[in-house]
Amino acid sequence: MLQDGFYKTLRIKKIHEEIKGFKTFIFEEGHGINYKPGQYITLAQLVNNEELRRSYSICSSPDLGEPMTIGVKRVENGLFSRQLIDYAKPGDEWTTTGAGGLFVLPAEVENYQQVFFLAAGSGITPIYSLIKTVLNFHRSLSVVLIYSNASAEKTVFLNELKNLKNEFAGRFTLEFLYSNNPKLEKARLYRELLLELTEKLAVSEKVKTLFYTCGPEAYMRMCIFTLQAIGVPKNNIKKENFVIHNISHKNILPPDKETHKVTIQFSDKEYKFSVAYPDSILKAAKKNGIQLPYSCEVGRCGNCIAKCVKGTVWHSYNEVLTDRELEQGMVLTCVGHPVGGDLALSTDV
């Protein structure tokens, strides 16, 4: 049985098939989950007495008062996605640990002048939430979406995006790229085309421009390397990992392997436990029966984020936190280890 008090229940209200193999799930009100545009929820199940978690991006905008909606792409060997796509129906209940993720607008978003969104396939899911929010509530920002798909028929939210382009003409530029395009130079997003489009569509200097990318790993890697090569500051680039792979941390050792005590504030409660290498903060908490937020457990999703209010955390891997967020004390408990002394953390980020 999943631990009471930590989990919440989501009841499906409606299901809509956007394209074959991709559905949106609209949940009933009253779930008590607060979230930001661009975040995801983590679903949990007990399978053979082992708790499994999977995260799905939210495509609704809370600022618009839309009912919380997630987008799910069917994965052939996906335990959760196959259940949702093939069998879920209105009225079904799912257990969640809540919302999380750092693929969100910065607190100082009004200091920027333009946002580029780079999406491929189902990577549009969190970006759709962000686009709706920016267009409706941050009217000083110019918005560009470069969206890659196999064809128009396989494009999620195609008509909705076209409607937004018409509604916000002059502020929202929409570039569709289809791999079935006979003009190969416009079929996929590659380095030279990204350089061409960013130069042609830019209305502000790079330090005043935000970039968000979500899609296959190779696609995002190309986008980030290209943007950094032309001088876009690292802190101006956000990416959302859609598929989490296990990552080996062999031969990566912390500067301090001593056992240290950790105090963490979570959900209005204080927990104290010891962390002994090689356990991460999260793993040690789990061994002590303490339920903390997490999903990927490899430093790539940000669901386990906490703030360090005392002490120092060393990360064995970090693909989520920017230099600015690290300077602000943000840490990842799933790959974080206390070094140099005891720690005090808070999940109220």
Side-chain angles (χ1 to χ4, degrees):
M1 179 178 179
L2 298 175
Q3 180 179 324
D4 294 334
F6 177 68
Y7 300 91
K8 294 183 179 180
T9 299
L10 296 171
R11 184 177 290 108
I12 299 173
K13 183 178 182 179
K14 296 179 182 178
I15 302 173
H16 187 259
E17 185 174 50
E18 305 293 338
I19 59 172
K20 185 177 180 180
F22 185 97
K23 293 182 179 180
T24 49
F25 296 81
I26 304 167
F27 297 107
E28 293 182 1
E29 303 293 334
H31 44 66
I33 297 173
N34 295 318
Y35 67 96
K36 298 177 182 178
Q39 290 191 310
Y40 53 77
I41 58 167
T42 300
L43 303 178
Q45 281 187 353
L46 277 180
V47 179
N48 297 324
N49 292 320
E50 178 185 1
E51 181 182 341
L52 300 180
R53 299 184 183 186
R54 298 291 186 273
S55 296
Y56 295 97
S57 293
I58 303 170
C59 53
S60 53
S61 169
D63 297 338
L64 287 169
E66 297 174 334
M68 189 169 71
T69 304
I70 61 171
V72 179
K73 176 184 177 181
R74 191 184 191 281
V75 178
E76 191 60 36
N77 296 317
L79 173 65
F80 284 50
S81 70
R82 285 186 292 117
Q83 289 183 50
L84 285 163
I85 296 293
D86 296 346
Y87 304 111
K89 60 187 182 302
D92 286 355
E93 293 183 343
W94 283 75
T95 301
T96 179
T97 61
L102 299 174
F103 197 66
V104 297
L105 299 173
E108 70 282 8
V109 65
E110 300 301 340
N111 292 339
Y112 298 90
Q113 298 174 0
Q114 188 172 27
V115 187
F116 275 79
F117 293 103
L118 312 173
S122 54
I124 191 63
T125 312
I127 283 176
Y128 185 45
S129 172
L130 287 164
I131 287 175
K132 289 184 288 185
T133 303
V134 172
L135 289 174
N136 282 281
F137 297 99
H138 302 284
R139 295 181 179 272
S140 63
L141 286 172
S142 171
V143 178
V144 176
L145 170 62
I146 303 171
Y147 187 15
S148 302
N149 285 281
S151 65
E153 294 73 26
K154 295 182 179 180
T155 300
V156 180
F157 306 134
L158 176 65
N159 292 326
E160 292 88 343
L161 289 166
K162 288 181 176 179
N163 290 337
L164 285 173
K165 180 181 179 181
N166 293 332
E167 182 180 354
F168 295 94
R171 280 189 58 220
F172 183 29
T173 302
L174 182 55
E175 292 277 346
F176 289 115
L177 300 176
Y178 299 127
S179 55
N180 66 349
N181 190 334
K183 296 182 179 180
L184 296 180
E185 67 274 12
K186 296 291 185 179
R188 296 177 181 271
L189 188 65
Y190 53 97
R191 183 180 183 277
E192 288 73 21
L193 181 56
L194 179 55
L195 291 173
E196 175 188 327
L197 290 172
T198 51
E199 182 177 354
K200 181 178 74 172
L201 301 175
V203 297
S204 66
E205 54 186 326
K206 296 180 181 66
V207 294
K208 293 290 185 179
T209 306
L210 294 168
F211 291 85
Y212 290 77
T213 181
C214 186
E217 193 168 345
Y219 169 89
M220 293 192 295
R221 188 184 307 117
M222 181 277 296
C223 290
I224 292 171
F225 286 170
T226 301
L227 294 172
Q228 289 180 346
I230 61 173
V232 177
K234 286 185 178 180
N235 289 328
N236 290 33
I237 304 171
K238 289 276 190 180
K239 77 167 185 173
E240 182 73 320
N241 286 310
F242 231 42
V243 179
I244 303 299
H245 302 287
N246 289 329
I247 297 171
S248 174
H249 302 310
K250 293 179 180 178
N251 302 321
I252 303 176
L253 303 177
D256 172 6
K257 299 180 187 177
E258 298 297 319
T259 299
H260 299 292
K261 293 181 179 179
V262 172
T263 301
I264 188 165
Q265 294 283 344
F266 170 62
S267 192
D268 297 324
K269 294 182 180 179
E270 182 178 275
Y271 299 94
K272 296 184 178 182
F273 55 96
S274 295
V275 180
Y277 182 81
D279 288 351
S280 66
I281 297 167
L282 175 65
K283 190 169 184 179
K286 290 168 72 173
K287 285 184 176 180
N288 282 273
I290 302 168
Q291 288 280 5
L292 296 177
Y294 73 89
S295 182
C296 74
E297 298 188 81
V298 293
R300 301 190 69 185
C301 77
N303 201 12
C304 69
I305 189 172
K307 184 168 186 177
C308 182
V309 295
K310 176 187 174 184
T312 302
V313 173
W314 174 86
H315 293 100
S316 60
Y317 191 84
N318 168 33
E319 205 170 309
V320 180
L321 298 173
T322 65
D323 292 342
R324 182 182 302 165
E325 288 161 342
L326 290 168
E327 290 170 1
Q328 293 171 345
M330 301 298 104
V331 300
L332 303 173
T333 64
C334 74
V335 288
H337 304 260
V339 293
D342 297 340
L343 277 182
L345 304 176
S346 173
T347 59
D348 185 15
V349 178

